[in-house]
Amino acid sequence: DHDFGRNDAGKWYPYKEESKNIFMQFFKEPDTSERRKHEGIYKTEYIKQGDKTVQVILLDVRSFRNDLLLYKKGDSLPRKEYFYTPDYKPHTSADSTLLGEAQWKWLEQELKKPADLRLICSGSQFGIEYNGYEAWANFPHEQKKMLELIKSTRANGVLFLTGDVHYAEISRLDEPGLYPIYDITASGITSTWDFATLNKNRIEGPVMDNHFGLLTITWVKDPVIRMEIIDKYNNSRIEYTINGSQLMFK
């Protein structure tokens, strides 16, 4: 978000190449890195333990994203329960994009590669309902495209790790023909927010204190995946556990 250079900026941000160069320098990205061969900073890392592999897919949700549509006074709200004024409204045009054509093609190939667990990392929340702030829900056709891509590639073990909103929560998105998609949001190790937005997909949280997220995988016959949010007082505020078999096509 802000490290790109301007709050909620997208592909038209005029200094995005300069931002990428600073990013590469700060994270000491090698000269041979694939990141240096394409626009944007998307990349895949692998964490291996014995014969088990965790695929960490790092998306770029800024460099190719269309500008967000500003919510205007008088625009209808999807729910009457809103107690705040939304900033943005969903795109209705299918030619607007979040990831961009090249990154979508790359992601399809990544999801076809073997892995025991796949962590898709996105700076914007994926699994929440539309709430008027920055999220995948502002591009509903792109959110749907992601779900369809997981289905078409038969990629088991997908779990989303997201941030941005200055509080923590776990969301669960249920899609026909697909296993449950969990979105673990941790954001606010140094900052907080006054309120949590509406989110019918929320199953845990919100946690409004400063915190960090912890994901623990126990490699037994049916892997145990424990999602935790730990606050600045060292309290485990959220602990939610699933098995790897719950993230598989039947």
Side-chain angles (χ1 to χ4, degrees), residues 102-116:
Q103 188 173 189
W104 274 117
K105 290 181 178 178
W106 165 84
L107 179 59
E108 180 177 3
Q109 296 307 311
E110 295 304 298
L111 289 177
K112 291 178 179 178
K113 295 178 181 178
D116 297 287

Side-chain angles (χ1 to χ4, degrees), residues 38-82:
H38 60 71
E39 186 180 355
I41 59 169
Y42 56 86
K43 185 183 184 182
T44 299
E45 297 279 0
Y46 289 92
I47 302 171
K48 294 183 180 292
Q49 185 175 19
D51 63 345
K52 302 299 181 182
T53 299
V54 178
Q55 183 186 44
V56 185
I57 297 174
L58 304 168
L59 297 180
D60 183 337
V61 295
R62 302 243 161 251
S63 298
F64 313 95
R65 198 208 70 203
N66 281 89
D67 286 343
L68 300 171
L69 295 179
L70 288 174
Y71 175 86
K72 298 178 182 178
K73 188 175 181 180
D75 287 343
S76 59
L77 294 172
R79 289 172 61 182
K80 63 181 180 181
E81 297 92 344
Y82 274 80

Side-chain angles (χ1 to χ4, degrees), residues 19-228:
S19 294
K20 176 178 177 175
N21 290 335
I22 293 169
F23 178 97
M24 295 294 186
Q25 181 180 5
F26 183 84
F27 285 102
K28 297 179 175 59
E29 199 75 14
D31 292 339
T32 56
S33 170
E34 287 297 315
R35 270 183 168 148
R36 296 188 181 275
K37 301 175 184 178
H38 60 71
E39 186 180 355
I41 59 169
Y42 56 86
K43 185 183 184 182
T44 299
E45 297 279 0
Y46 289 92
I47 302 171
K48 294 183 180 292
Q49 185 175 19
D51 63 345
K52 302 299 181 182
T53 299
V54 178
Q55 183 186 44
V56 185
I57 297 174
L58 304 168
L59 297 180
D60 183 337
V61 295
R62 302 243 161 251
S63 298
F64 313 95
R65 198 208 70 203
N66 281 89
D67 286 343
L68 300 171
L69 295 179
L70 288 174
Y71 175 86
K72 298 178 182 178
K73 188 175 181 180
D75 287 343
S76 59
L77 294 172
R79 289 172 61 182
K80 63 181 180 181
E81 297 92 344
Y82 274 80
F83 55 89
Y84 56 90
T85 301
D87 287 341
Y88 309 114
K89 58 184 178 181
H91 275 269
T92 56
S93 173
D95 63 357
S96 57
T97 186
L98 202 157
L99 296 187
E101 184 178 357
Q103 188 173 189
W104 274 117
K105 290 181 178 178
W106 165 84
L107 179 59
E108 180 177 3
Q109 296 307 311
E110 295 304 298
L111 289 177
K112 291 178 179 178
K113 295 178 181 178
D116 297 287
L117 183 66
R118 306 173 197 273
L119 307 179
I120 299 183
C121 304
S122 166
S124 297
Q125 289 182 292
F126 179 82
I128 65 167
E129 68 168 319
Y130 165 77
N131 63 11
Y133 291 125
E134 189 178 26
W136 278 73
N138 290 319
F139 296 84
H141 55 286
E142 292 281 271
Q143 189 180 43
K144 181 68 174 178
K145 185 174 182 177
M146 176 69 80
L147 298 172
E148 292 300 324
L149 184 60
I150 296 171
K151 284 192 273 188
S152 66
T153 57
R154 304 295 289 179
N156 288 315
V158 170
L159 197 66
F160 279 82
L161 303 182
T162 65
D164 182 37
V165 293
H166 305 263
Y167 54 85
E169 62 185 348
I170 298 177
S171 304
R172 171 177 162 150
L173 194 158
D174 293 312
E175 166 77 7
L178 181 59
Y179 51 83
I181 296 296
Y182 291 92
D183 182 344
I184 311 162
T185 301
S187 55
I189 198 168
T190 61
S191 62
T192 57
W193 197 248
D194 295 331
F195 64 91
T197 61
L198 299 175
N199 179 15
K200 65 184 179 183
N201 298 340
R202 181 186 296 129
I203 59 173
E204 292 286 345
V207 175
M208 309 304 294
D209 291 310
N210 292 135
H211 64 273
F212 64 90
L214 178 65
L215 192 69
T216 305
I217 305 161
T218 304
W219 294 114
V220 290
K221 184 176 181 180
D222 189 359
V224 178
I225 304 166
R226 187 170 78 243
M227 317 165 195
E228 287 184 89

